[in-house]
Amino acid sequence: MNNINTNGDLGLIALESCSDLGKKIDSYIKNRRCEGNSFLISTEEIRFSNGEGKIKLSETIRGKDVYILCDVGNYSCTYTMFGMTTHKGPDEHFQDIKRTVSAIRGKAKRITVIMPLLYASRQHRRKGRESLDCALALQELERLGVQEILTFDCHDPNVQNAIPLLSFENLYPTYDIVKTFITEEKNLEINKDNMLVISPDTGAMDRAIYYASVLGLDVGLFYKRRDHATIVNGKNPIVKHEYMGRDVAGQDVLIVDDMIASGESVLDIATELKKRNAKNVYVAATFAFFTEGLDKFNKYFNDGTITRVYSTNLTYISNELKNSPWFREVDMSEFVGRIIHRLNHDKSIASFMDATNVIHDLLKK
């Protein structure tokens, strides 16, 4: 392996929100390069009693190729403000990214920001008089001197048009999800006669078609019929999920989506599939938030409505979720480590953009 780092020596800054994933990535790269020393750069995330904060770097980063890792969805990070325990939200995590870039002060040779969950990605387009948070955030990083942004399964990749001159890579965890899925479900028969892929809505159809094509399966679609005369929590409530596709009776089904928020939609679809006599209902999502807790998923697992849920560790996973019998974690540290390793050596990551061939090889094995 040619270890000449044309972009400078590698430096990893894993903010508090991404510390666990950062340690795994560091371990992978150390093993890959047979390196004894850690690539992690020590940082302090300091909070004052009124809630203001700052980032302090504890070692030099001059001339280094720096990768800043931050999980803007990690709600477990806390600080004390006016004597009260306060949880960090996405806005505060993004502010910490900017503080880190500011602390670097232009001394790094190159700065790459890795936000697996893209900040404000659900506020990516304007409908009426409302903000364009994601576009503004990307432009702010560009102005601060960030040269590249890496993210996963962006809600709408077209948001990169806000920064047309900046390198923006939208990666997908498809291979790792499929690998974990077929490893865990050893008795699964992945063929058109026994299984199909389900898209939970029209927006996820492209993703479902891709999964179906690499697995050699048919695809079905649920259409969300909404009450457009009513707004609840900023959204039109779903009246009914209408199904379009072939018969699912006696079939294993895999529902694929980019994220699970409250999980209501997924559970409603799983219920509809069970009414149509589906055999096992599996769910695969890049990000799993479970914003309203796990009680409903526990109930639906116990009554046989769902069999398993697969999601990555690209955003925070609580210990309660990790230990749930129906949940399986997809570890993405090796994938991210490979990406960083290649970029640091100024090598192409084009082969990581399309997982079709490696998934086919995996299924053959």
Side-chain angles (χ1 to χ4, degrees), residues 17 20 71 73-77 87 288-295 298 311-329:
S17 60
D20 290 343
D71 173 16
N74 190 338
Y75 59 90
S76 72
C77 300
H87 290 260
F289 303 140
F290 297 99
T291 56
E292 295 182 10
L294 307 180
D295 290 345
N298 289 328
S311 190
T312 73
N313 60 347
L314 292 171
T315 193
Y316 173 69
I317 298 175
S318 67
N319 287 328
E320 181 186 6
L321 178 57
K322 283 183 182 180
N323 296 326
S324 297
W326 46 266
F327 181 79
R328 296 293 182 271
E329 176 184 342

Side-chain angles (χ1 to χ4, degrees), residues 1 4 6 19 29 42 51 93 104 106 130 135 146 157 215 229-231 237 269 281 319 342 357:
M1 172 62 68
I4 298 175
T6 59
S19 60
I29 298 176
S42 179
H93 286 305
I104 290 172
E130 57 185 31
V146 172
L215 295 173
T230 307
I231 297 178
I269 290 170
V281 177
N319 287 328
R342 291 189 67 84
N357 291 331

Side-chain angles (χ1 to χ4, degrees), residues 64-68 100-102 104-113 144-149:
K64 288 190 175 183
D65 184 17
V66 176
Y67 294 79
I68 303 170
T100 304
V101 177
S102 173
I104 290 172
R105 295 189 301 167
K107 299 298 190 294
K109 187 168 185 179
R110 186 175 68 170
I111 301 174
T112 300
V113 169
L144 286 169
V146 172
Q147 283 98 337
E148 186 160 17
I149 296 171

Side-chain angles (χ1 to χ4, degrees), residues 92-198:
E92 290 160 302
H93 286 305
F94 184 71
Q95 190 70 22
D96 283 340
I97 294 175
K98 294 190 294 181
R99 290 184 176 119
T100 304
V101 177
S102 173
I104 290 172
R105 295 189 301 167
K107 299 298 190 294
K109 187 168 185 179
R110 186 175 68 170
I111 301 174
T112 300
V113 169
I114 302 178
M115 276 187 288
L117 174 62
L118 186 63
Y119 171 71
S121 58
R122 300 177 77 175
Q123 188 54 35
H124 62 286
R125 60 183 176 183
R126 177 173 286 155
K127 293 181 180 178
R129 297 184 181 91
E130 57 185 31
S131 57
L132 284 170
D133 298 28
C134 191
L136 289 172
L138 294 176
Q139 290 174 353
E140 194 166 9
L141 291 179
E142 183 179 31
R143 288 193 296 270
L144 286 169
V146 172
Q147 283 98 337
E148 186 160 17
I149 296 171
L150 302 180
T151 190
F152 279 82
D153 207 347
C154 180
H155 197 61
D156 183 356
N158 289 321
V159 75
Q160 66 186 290
N161 293 332
I163 47 168
L165 301 181
L166 198 67
S167 178
F168 180 98
E169 300 294 350
N170 182 39
L171 305 165
Y172 291 90
T174 314
Y175 171 75
D176 294 273
I177 288 177
V178 170
K179 181 180 178 181
T180 306
F181 179 58
I182 64 175
T183 301
E184 291 287 336
E185 311 299 334
K186 299 183 185 298
N187 298 322
L188 204 62
E189 295 183 70
I190 303 178
N191 56 61
K192 282 190 175 182
D193 295 328
N194 296 284
M195 188 175 179
L196 74 160
V197 176
I198 296 292

Side-chain angles (χ1 to χ4, degrees), residues 299-348:
K299 176 180 178 297
Y300 279 65
F301 170 72
N302 290 330
D303 67 19
T305 303
I306 59 169
T307 301
R308 211 91 62 217
V309 175
Y310 289 83
S311 190
T312 73
N313 60 347
L314 292 171
T315 193
Y316 173 69
I317 298 175
S318 67
N319 287 328
E320 181 186 6
L321 178 57
K322 283 183 182 180
N323 296 326
S324 297
W326 46 266
F327 181 79
R328 296 293 182 271
E329 176 184 342
V330 179
D331 183 18
M332 294 298 298
S333 59
E334 181 176 330
F335 183 90
V336 179
R338 287 175 182 270
I339 294 289
I340 294 173
H341 172 75
R342 291 189 67 84
L343 289 177
N344 178 233
H345 286 97
D346 210 21
K347 292 187 176 182
S348 171

